[in-house]
């Protein structure tokens, strides 16, 4: 090609590139220019001379970059077909560009340096070491020319390590060749890197002293490049290179920590080195970092960086240093106490002091970074006895008292932490989520610290509690909406109370676990309890903290039971807590309670329940007092919400279980439930519960209401229904027989044994509950029928959306965070519509909770209810077609699953199979339709903007279908597959050793067997078909999680069960095709892909000998190599042949079906890069076809492509 042609083409290309990059170009021109450039790269035979011409120094940076891109494209996509001389010409010119074709180090654009280094690496990946043995020498020679070349050589070495070791972007054999050659030369490479680093750092210091700024900057650049390159190697080279020469590298890195321009890179390298895993013996030299020099460097660097205020660069450096100290601590914990003969370092005390400095730093992020290491130190078998560590425990606890205080919101300025949070968090919600997990982590570590020194923690908690009880309340600038002068969650007082409460709860519970009974400081504990009980506050947030402290100190009452009545009256007073503001509201109208008030009342109820659950023997003597108290509260219908009433009744039932006398408990429950039975069984209630129209009218959902905040005429009716349902649920959940068989026999609970040997007990609540059971089923049936279109039409204007989801539920499903303040300050329900929605939602859930608890509670008395299966089918499973997904999900989870799990095998045939058969058939039909709609929608609206609005209805519906699918598949798995198979690791852990590596960890263990129930279900043809079809169809539904769980846990055990029978060839082909379809949809996700490939392999191996149809399915896979398939088949069908190893057979199979494995969208249209293998370095192989051709090209054999 003539020079004119090259020049002419280059001029056109320059114009095209200018059009592409010019912001003023029209779209049409830009597209045409782009097309011209792309076609040139693909088709033009003179790419190399054009690329080199465009890359000349005289061109603009944009044009040069494009020229170099052309050369990169040539190496990546045309190399295999280039004549030898052209390769040599290109390689020499590229090396020439590095030598003299770029601007100086400070002037050259970084994207030019980047693309130039990429071209060299692409050539190395294709030719080194076999055909380019002197590559490293050439790079070394280049680097001697000056800083510009040295920096480029660093870029090449780093890029090479990343491609070969980190990202592994080349075929296995080439990767091994290059990695092994790198490893053989690692001493030279490390020596080169260290020398370059040392020389440039000393030149940099010298030039800085001489005030020669440009030269100093050039040396600094090379230093930074050397550190970055080292970071790419330190992670994987043999530890001996890192610790060679008396740990010279580590020493240099430590000294560089005090060099402002290089410190971040040095800390990065140090962190990678100290975080290395491997043989303990090899890691021993890392302990040198506990030496005087290293410790001094680390600490002085930290002090300097911190002393210069909050500058992003210094803050990033501090974070790295903190990570280095954490990693050092982890290495110490690993080495000390092992067989490596490592002693506690002399500077351990200094290390702890500096580590504590990070724990007390204003940055919440730095504080949290230290927690895991503190935990490891406090847990360590040797260090936990070290006097130095024990001396730090009180300091750590003191620091935690500060760290538990929730301050540092990025939007605020009320603490030094806020500034730092603005660097680390995008929003207050973000910070809040972080802080909550940080606090939980601190709780863990504080408990470990208290194991070492329980009394100190308790004393600190006592001091802090006393201080808070006497400190004046500071509500801060923001007033709570709950009432004037009350705290909001951001008030200084509440933030302190909240932190103190968490602290005391953590340390007191640990003290009771750690110390002997006789050593517990009972008097101090009781004194604190007295102070807390005598403390009065009208602030709901603070009162909530006070109640937690009462619960935390309650174990002291086991030593002094005389304090129990005082505790009870404190809790009962809080159950009826109100913030009454007479002036604002007329007393007759109850102000809507805020979340904070509701929380206090709930908190008090749950504290009472917890006390009765955990200390029933202690409370038993006070039963009468408790019972009278509750009766008094229940007598006023408006005083408590239904949930609160029920909570108190539950507490009574828990204590009554301690009677351990069937007749006495039964009589008590009868008395307790008399009001409920009277109401529930009344003729009016029976009419309301069994007729949807009467029900809508009774609860007031057909009204039109003028003032939706204050007016609610049917509120009382709703609360009556709620009260009955809550009470039934509470009793079913809590009433029990004694745990000890002897006590159960003595108390009259024991009935004998089932044929399977399981003991049978009778529950004292059975008679009462079964009496109310018919009406409960009627209510469930009615509730389901409310979703019929004609019933929905009867809802009044105000309540048209009464059956919809609550906003809170929607946000939870869409994963939207709750605004922080609203949680506590807004009324629980703002309007009567929200109250109605809350009523329907809770009622529905609670009815199914009763059914789910009925089995475990009443056992055989429930399972033998006459026609139970039919009754459940006609109530709970009635009108399922109209029931929305968000109601069907909880039904499966809280009713069907527990019922099935707790049912003894004696009742499978009569109860479970008749119920699950129709249910699974229905669920399969429903889910198939839903997924069909979703798939059609995604095909239709590729260009639709519905997805731009995250709250769009479609997105919510789709997410609900996903959640429902998971629920259904989970139910099928629980019913059919025994736990031992399921508990094993089901997550994918892709093995990094091999491109084709199968994530075999995903494969289900061989012992994933069917349960008794599973076998029973699979005997029934309709159930068997429904479950199998659902399981295999679900593999191609767009829900990765469901696909992976179903593949690993359910599909094979189900199919294995039906293998002995005569499966139709069409059915077998369908199962196999379903798995391949799943691979098409989910192949892009490593975990799913590995599980599905394994399943397909299992099916093919097990069924191919009996069904030739499977081969026909295989033949339809795109790009399948038929000769390879024949080879696989012949080995599989010939039993006399020795079996190849499982992994190799599986790899072969995976290559066969690779045509139907889906790729991520980013890879679907990517042009394939083909890198040929070179003759093997390490063993003689038969010359392959490819190397033959290559070696005899141009009519002469050659071994070296690029001669020095």
């Amino acid at each position: 090609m003539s020079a004119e042609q090259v020049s002419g083409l280059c001029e056109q290309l320059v114009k095209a590139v200018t059009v592409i990059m010019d912001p003023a170009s029209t779209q049409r021109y830009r597209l045409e220019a782009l097309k011209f450039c792309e076609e040139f790269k693909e088709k033009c035979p003179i790419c190399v001379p054009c690329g080199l011409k465009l890359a000349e120094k005289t061109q603009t940076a944009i044009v040069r970059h494009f020229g170099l891109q052309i050369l990169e494209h040539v190496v990546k996509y045309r190399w295999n077909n280039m004549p030898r001389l052209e390769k040599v010409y290109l390689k020499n010119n590229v090396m020439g560009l590095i030598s003299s074709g770029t601007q100086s180090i400070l002037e050259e654009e970084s994207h030019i340096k980047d693309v130039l280094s990429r071209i060299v690496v692409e050539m190395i990946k294709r030719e080194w070491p076999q055909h380019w043995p002197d590559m490293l020498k050439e790079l070394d020679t280049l680097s001697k020319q000056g800083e510009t070349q040295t920096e480029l050589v660093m870029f090449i070495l780093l890029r090479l390590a990343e491609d070969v070791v980190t990202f592994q972007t080349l075929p296995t054999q080439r990767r091994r060749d290059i990695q092994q050659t790198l490893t053989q030369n690692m001493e030279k490479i490390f020596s080169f890197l260290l020398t370059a680093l040392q020389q440039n750092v000393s030149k940099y210091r010298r030039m800085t002293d001489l005030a020669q700024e440009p030269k100093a900057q050039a040396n600094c650049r090379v230093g930074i490049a050397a550190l970055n390159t080292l970071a790419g190697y330190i992670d994987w080279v043999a530890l001996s290179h890192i610790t060679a020469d008396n740990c010279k590298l580590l020493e240099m890195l430590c000294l560089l920590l005090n060099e402002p321009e290089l410190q971040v890179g040095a800390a990065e390298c140090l962190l990678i080195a100290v975080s290395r895993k491997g043989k303990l013996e090899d890691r021993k030299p890392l302990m040198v970092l506990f030496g005087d020099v290293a410790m001094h460097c680390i600490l002085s660097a930290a002090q300097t960086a911190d002393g210069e205020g909050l500058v992003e660069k210094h803050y990033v450096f501090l974070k790295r240093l903190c990570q280095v100290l954490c990693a050092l601590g982890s290495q110490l914990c690993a080495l000390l106490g092992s067989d490596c003969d490592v002693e506690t370092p002399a500077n351990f005390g200094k290390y702890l002091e500096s580590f504590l400095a990070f724990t007390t730093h204003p940055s919440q992020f730095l504080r949290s970074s230290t927690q895991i290491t503190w935990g490891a130190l406090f847990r360590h078998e040797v260090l936990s006895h070290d006097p130095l560590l024990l001396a730090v425990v009180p300091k750590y606890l003191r620091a935690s008292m500060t760290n538990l205080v929730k301050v540092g919101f990025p939007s605020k300025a009320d603490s030094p932490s806020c500034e730092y949070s603005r660097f680390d968090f995008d929003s207050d919600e973000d910070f809040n989520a972080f802080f909550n997990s940080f606090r939980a982590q601190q709780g863990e570590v504080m408990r470990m610290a208290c194991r070492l020194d329980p009394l100190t923690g308790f004393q600190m908690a006592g001091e802090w509690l006393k201080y808070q009880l006497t400190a004046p309340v500071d509500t801060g600038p923001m007033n709570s909406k709950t009432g004037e002068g009350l705290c909001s969650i951001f008030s200084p007082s509440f933030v302190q109370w909240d932190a103190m409460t968490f602290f005391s709860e953590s340390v007191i519970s640990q003290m009771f676990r750690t110390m002997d009974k006789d050593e517990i400081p009972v008097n101090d504990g009781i004194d604190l309890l007295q102070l807390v009980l005598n403390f009065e506050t009208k602030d709901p947030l603070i009162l909530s903290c006070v109640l937690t402290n009462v619960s935390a100190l309650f174990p002291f009452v086991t030593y002094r039971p005389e304090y129990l009545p005082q505790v009870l009256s404190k809790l009962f007073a809080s159950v009826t807590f109100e913030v009454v503001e007479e002036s604002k509201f007329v007393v007759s109208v109850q102000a809507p309670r805020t979340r904070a008030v509701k929380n206090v009342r709930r908190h008090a109820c749950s504290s009472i329940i917890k006390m009765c659950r955990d200390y029933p023997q202690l409370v038993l003597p006070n039963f009468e007092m408790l019972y009278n108290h509750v009766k008094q509260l229940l007598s006023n219908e408006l005083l408590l919400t239904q949930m609160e009433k029920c909570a108190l009744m539950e507490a009574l039932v828990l204590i009554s279980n301690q009677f351990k006398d069937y007749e006495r408990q039964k009589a008590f429950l009868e008395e307790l439930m008399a009001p409920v039975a009277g109401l529930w069984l009344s003729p009016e209630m029976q009419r309301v519960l069994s007729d949807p129209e009467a029900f809508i009218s009774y609860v007031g959902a057909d009204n039109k209401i003028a003032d939706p905040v204050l007016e609610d005429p049917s509120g009382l009716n709703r609360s009556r229904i709620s009260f009955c349902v809550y009470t039934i649920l509470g009793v079913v959940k809590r009433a029990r027989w004694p745990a000890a068989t002897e006590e159960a026999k003595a108390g009259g609970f024991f009935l004998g044994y089932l044929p399977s040997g399981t003991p049978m007990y009778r529950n004292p609540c059975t008679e009462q509950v079964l009496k109310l059971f018919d009406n409960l089923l009627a209510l469930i049936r009615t509730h389901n029928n409310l979703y019929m279109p004609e019933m929905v039409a009867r809802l009044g204007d105000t309540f048209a959306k009464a059956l919809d989801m609550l906003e809170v539920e929607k946000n939870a499903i869409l994963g939207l965070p709750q605004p922080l303040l609203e949680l506590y300050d807004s009324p629980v329900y703002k309007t009567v519509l929200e109250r109605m929605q809350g009523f329907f939602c809770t009622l529905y859930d609670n009815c199914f909770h009763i059914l789910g608890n009925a089995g475990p509670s009443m056992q055989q008395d429930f399972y033998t209810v006459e026609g139970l299966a039919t009754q459940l089918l006609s109530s709970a499973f009635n009108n399922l077609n109209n029931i929305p997904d968000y109601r069907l999900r909880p039904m499966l989870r809280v009713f069907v699953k527990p019922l099935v799990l707790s049912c003894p095998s004696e009742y499978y045939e009569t109860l479970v199979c008749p119920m699950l058969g129709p249910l699974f058939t229905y669920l399969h039909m429903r889910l198939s339709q839903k997924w069909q709609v979703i798939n059609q929608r995604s095909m239709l609206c590729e260009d639709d903007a519905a997805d731009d609005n995250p709250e769009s209805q479609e997105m919510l519906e789709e997410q609900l279908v996903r959640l429902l699918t998971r629920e259904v598949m989970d139910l099928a798995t629980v019913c059919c597959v025994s736990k031992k198979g399921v508990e094993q690791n089901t997550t994918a852990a892709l093995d990094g050793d091999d491109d084709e590596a199968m994530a075999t960890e995903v494969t289900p263990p061989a012992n994933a067997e069917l349960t008794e129930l599973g076998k029973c279900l699979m005997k029934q043809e309709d159930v068997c078909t429904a479950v199998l079809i659902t399981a295999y169809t679900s593999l191609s539904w767009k829900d990765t999680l469901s696909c992976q769980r179903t593949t690993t846990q359910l599909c094979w055990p189900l199919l294995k069960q039906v293998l002995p029978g005569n499966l139709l060839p069409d059915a077998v082909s369908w199962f196999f095709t379903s798995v391949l379809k799943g691979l098409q949809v989910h192949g892009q996700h490593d975990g799913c892909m590995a599980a599905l490939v394994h399943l397909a392999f299992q099916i093919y191996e097990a069924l191919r000998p009996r069904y030739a149809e499977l081969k026909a399915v295989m033949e339809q896979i795109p790009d399948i190599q038929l000769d390879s398939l024949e080879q696989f088949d012949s080995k599989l069908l010939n039993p006399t042949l020795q079996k190849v190893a499982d992994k190799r057979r599986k790899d072969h199979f995976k290559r066969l079906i690779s045509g139907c494995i889906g790729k991520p969208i980013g890879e679907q249209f990517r042009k394939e890069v083909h890198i040929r293998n070179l003759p093997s370095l390490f063993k003689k192989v038969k010359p392959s076809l490819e190397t033959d051709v290559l070696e005899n090209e141009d009519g002469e054999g050659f071994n070296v492509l690029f001669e020095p």
Side-chain angles (χ1 to χ4, degrees), residues 1050-1086:
L1050 191 60
C1051 286
W1052 181 242
L1054 288 180
L1055 188 57
K1056 204 165 68 176
Q1057 187 66 20
V1058 295
L1059 284 187
N1062 285 326
L1063 283 172
L1064 293 171
D1066 283 359
V1068 173
S1069 301
W1070 182 84
F1071 286 128
F1072 189 58
T1073 311
S1074 300
V1075 182
L1076 298 181
K1077 277 184 186 165
L1079 271 168
Q1080 225 172 347
V1081 177
H1082 299 290
Q1084 56 182 307
H1085 305 289
D1086 289 343

Side-chain angles (χ1 to χ4, degrees), residues 900-956:
V900 167
L901 280 180
S902 61
C903 182
S905 51
E906 284 78 2
Y907 308 113
Y908 286 167
E909 301 281 349
T910 53
L911 173 63
V912 181
C913 292
M915 197 173 75
L916 288 185
L919 181 64
F920 276 125
T921 311
Y922 169 73
L923 290 171
H924 169 252
M925 181 194 74
R926 175 169 177 143
L927 286 174
S928 302
Q929 286 170 351
K930 298 258 179 190
W931 279 109
Q932 202 176 348
V933 170
I934 288 174
N935 292 336
Q936 281 169 349
R937 192 185 286 159
S938 63
M939 285 158 87
L940 284 171
C941 65
E942 299 286 40
D943 52 355
D944 206 355
D947 279 1
D948 293 349
N949 168 15
E951 292 167 294
S952 70
Q953 193 54 30
E954 277 180 17
M955 193 158 173
L956 183 66

Side-chain angles (χ1 to χ4, degrees), residues 53 233 260 389 467 596 718 821 925 947 951 961 1033:
K53 186 165 179 61
Y233 282 82
L389 185 69
Y467 172 77
R718 287 200 303 276
L821 253 182
M925 181 194 74
D947 279 1
E951 292 167 294
V961 173
T1033 313

Side-chain angles (χ1 to χ4, degrees), residues 809-817 959:
E809 290 183 288
K810 282 185 194 171
N811 291 346
I813 284 169
L814 290 170
L816 300 175
Q959 191 53 17

